Structure formats: C-alpha cells, structure tokens
C-alpha cells in the first residue's frame, strides 16, 4: 500500500518483534511500541512524508501510546482497524503463515486480545474498515482514498 504514495516507507510491527516464546503480555507490547516508534521516527526524520505501519495497535491503550509518542512531531495520524469475521481472519492467517501459526495458537491469541472497537482519537483519524468480503487491493484502495481525502469516511452510527 505504501507504494501508492510518492514519498513513503512501510513498517511492520510484527517483523520488528518476532519473539520466542511469543507471549501476549505487557513486555511484548512495550517492546513492539518502542521498536516500531523508533523506526517510524527514523523515516520521518529522513523526510519520508508517509509512513505506513501495520500490526502495532491492538487496543485503545496502544492507540493512546502511539498518539502520545507522536504528539508534537507534526504528523497527521490515520488509524484503520481492519475488521473481519473470526472465520475469515483465521483463514487468512493460516494461508499466510507458511506453517508458523496453528489453529490452536490462533484460538489462544483470540482469547488474549479483546476486540478493541470502538477506538477514539482526539487528534487524527480512526476508522474501522470491514474487510471480510473484500481483498487486499480493495482494502488498500479504501485506505488510500481516506488518507488522500478522495472519499470521506462514513458517518459514525447514531
């Protein structure tokens, strides 16, 4: 997706925090946050105008930490929560795991990470994008249109 922007970089929080054994605890969240924010800042310091990051925000707590850490950095923060049904999420993860993730592991993760929606952001944009029935290209198109202002975000439910 970052290739759609002229001056851009991409950061994967998952790639920066491959830990064994994988535990879903505060230590992992602190390491993910510090590593990822350091890399994001490096790209921003080097003049990249758009930094796309995936996999960092799992809850309102992480969203608040990211917003706080980037406050004053003259950035416009866009956060998209990609929502998909459990069946679709599991299928996609197992298809892309290359043998790494198992159904048992995914079930364990599911019990550890609560659905964070709705999330709020006082300075920036946060939106849920339903992805159960669209592919990666369609998802990227929606996000790019929101970021560039080509398509306004839908109004929140009343």
């Amino acid at each position: 997706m970052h290739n759609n922007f002229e001056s851009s970089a991409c950061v994967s929080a998952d790639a920066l925090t491959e830990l064994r054994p994988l535990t879903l605890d505060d230590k992992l969240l602190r390491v993910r946050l510090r590593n990822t924010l350091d890399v994001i800042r490096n790209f921003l310091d080097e003049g990249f105008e758009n930094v796309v990051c995936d996999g960092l925000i799992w809850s309102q707590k992480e969203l608040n930490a990211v917003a706080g850490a980037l406050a004053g950095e003259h950035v416009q923060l866009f956060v998209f929560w990609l929502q998909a049904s459990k069946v679709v999420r599991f299928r996609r993860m197992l298809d892309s795991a290359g043998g790494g993730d198992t159904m048992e592991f995914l079930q364990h993760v599911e019990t550890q990470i609560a659905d964070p929606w709705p999330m709020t952001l006082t300075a920036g944009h946060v939106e849920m994008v339903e992805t159960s029935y669209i592919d990666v290209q369609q998802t990227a198109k929606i996000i790019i249109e929101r970021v560039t202002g080509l398509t306004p975000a839908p109004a929140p439910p009343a």
Side-chain angles (χ1 to χ4, degrees), residues 8-150:
S8 66
C10 184
V11 179
S12 171
D14 290 338
L16 293 173
T17 52
E18 292 188 21
L19 306 174
R20 293 293 176 251
L22 177 62
T23 56
L24 302 173
D25 57 10
D26 286 342
K27 180 179 180 179
L28 169 67
L29 299 177
R30 284 191 310 271
V31 170
R32 287 170 63 86
L33 189 64
R34 283 195 314 259
N35 285 355
T36 306
L37 285 170
D38 284 348
V39 174
I40 290 170
R41 279 196 195 94
N42 289 339
F43 284 124
L44 293 172
D45 290 348
E46 291 299 323
F48 288 89
E49 295 175 16
N50 299 284
V51 180
V52 176
C53 178
D54 67 73
L56 179 59
I57 297 172
W58 292 352
S59 71
Q60 185 69 50
K61 179 180 175 180
E62 283 87 35
L63 178 56
N64 294 344
V66 169
L70 295 176
E73 303 245 0
H74 305 291
V75 298
Q76 191 174 8
L77 187 58
F78 289 86
V79 176
F80 296 93
W81 181 258
L82 306 181
Q83 180 69 32
S85 70
K86 181 178 177 178
V87 170
V88 170
R89 278 195 324 275
F90 280 25
R91 187 193 75 235
R92 289 176 179 168
M93 286 188 264
L94 291 172
D95 287 350
S96 67
D101 290 340
T102 64
M103 185 59 77
E104 293 78 24
F105 175 75
L106 295 176
Q107 292 285 7
H108 172 71
V109 170
E110 186 79 9
T111 64
Q112 300 296 308
I113 300 174
D115 182 353
W117 198 256
M119 290 190 279
T120 60
L121 187 60
T122 55
H125 175 88
V126 63
E127 176 182 346
M128 178 176 53
V129 178
E130 174 56 58
T131 64
S132 293
Y133 304 103
I134 61 176
D135 63 18
V136 173
Q137 290 77 19
Q138 291 168 306
T139 303
K141 182 177 185 281
I142 291 169
I143 292 170
I144 291 160
E145 288 175 350
R146 298 291 197 279
V147 170
T148 60
L150 296 176

